[in-house]
Amino acid sequence: MTAKQEDFYRNMRSKIKDWLKTKNGSDNKWAEYILLAPDFFHLLCKLAIDKDVLVTDKAKLVGAIVYFISPLDLIPEGIVGPAGYVDDIALTAYVLNSVINNTNPEVVRRHWAGEGDVLEVIKSVLAVADQMVGSGLWRKLRAKF
């Protein structure tokens, strides 16, 4: 992870932790998924530089990293706060699921800094992504990748 990515990661983790202490954060029904944002971002960065990941998959990973960092996405964090990470999380799960189809799952597991089995985490996010993001936005987001 570059210094800029590390700063983004730490800043994101700090903002989410602070937000979860607020009424809006603690009452948000997607809070447990929003907590995945820093770990998903970390995983994207690690996989993007892993020699065992195909170049075509690295392009998808880099696209997801850019989406995470960009202030211009479908649900902008700058406007709605950390709740705006739901689209980033859904997109990341979608991209990671695609990468896992072409990569040994152990490659993905070795870079996972979060809790639980990353493959199960990805499945659980994908199972609720349509509800998290909204079906119209979810279709638009998947179409980008």
Side-chain angles (χ1 to χ4, degrees):
M1 212 182 302
T2 66
K4 186 175 183 176
Q5 291 168 337
E6 183 70 27
D7 289 346
F8 180 80
Y9 169 82
R10 287 183 181 175
N11 188 32
M12 180 184 357
R13 183 172 291 290
S14 176
K15 282 182 181 179
I16 291 170
K17 282 184 176 183
D18 290 346
W19 176 74
L20 288 171
K21 294 175 187 173
T22 68
K23 177 129 176 73
N24 283 343
S26 63
D27 288 347
N28 188 291
K29 74 182 202 173
W30 305 116
E32 71 178 284
Y33 292 98
I34 294 167
L35 279 169
L36 295 171
D39 295 323
F40 268 6
F41 180 77
H42 176 265
L43 183 58
L44 290 170
C45 293
K46 290 296 190 178
L47 289 172
I49 60 172
D50 191 298
K51 64 179 176 39
D52 294 325
V53 175
L54 296 174
V55 172
T56 52
D57 286 335
K58 287 181 180 189
K60 293 177 192 175
L61 294 163
V62 170
I65 291 167
V66 169
Y67 190 85
F68 243 112
I69 293 172
S70 174
L72 304 173
D73 59 19
L74 294 177
I75 305 173
E77 297 79 40
I79 295 173
V80 299
Y85 284 117
V86 294
D87 60 326
D88 305 70
I89 293 161
L91 175 66
T92 298
Y94 182 73
V95 168
L96 290 172
N97 190 58
S98 171
V99 170
I100 289 167
N101 290 329
N102 300 322
T103 306
N104 182 333
E106 291 309 311
V107 172
V108 178
R109 283 187 175 112
R110 80 172 166 233
H111 295 298
W112 178 239
E115 294 180 16
D117 179 14
V118 65
L119 302 182
E120 292 301 317
V121 171
I122 291 167
K123 273 192 218 176
S124 72
V125 171
L126 289 174
V128 298
D130 191 59
Q131 296 165 10
M132 283 173 51
V133 179
S135 58
L137 290 179
W138 182 227
R139 275 193 304 278
K140 286 180 186 177
L141 197 55
R142 286 190 324 232
K144 291 183 177 209
F145 286 83

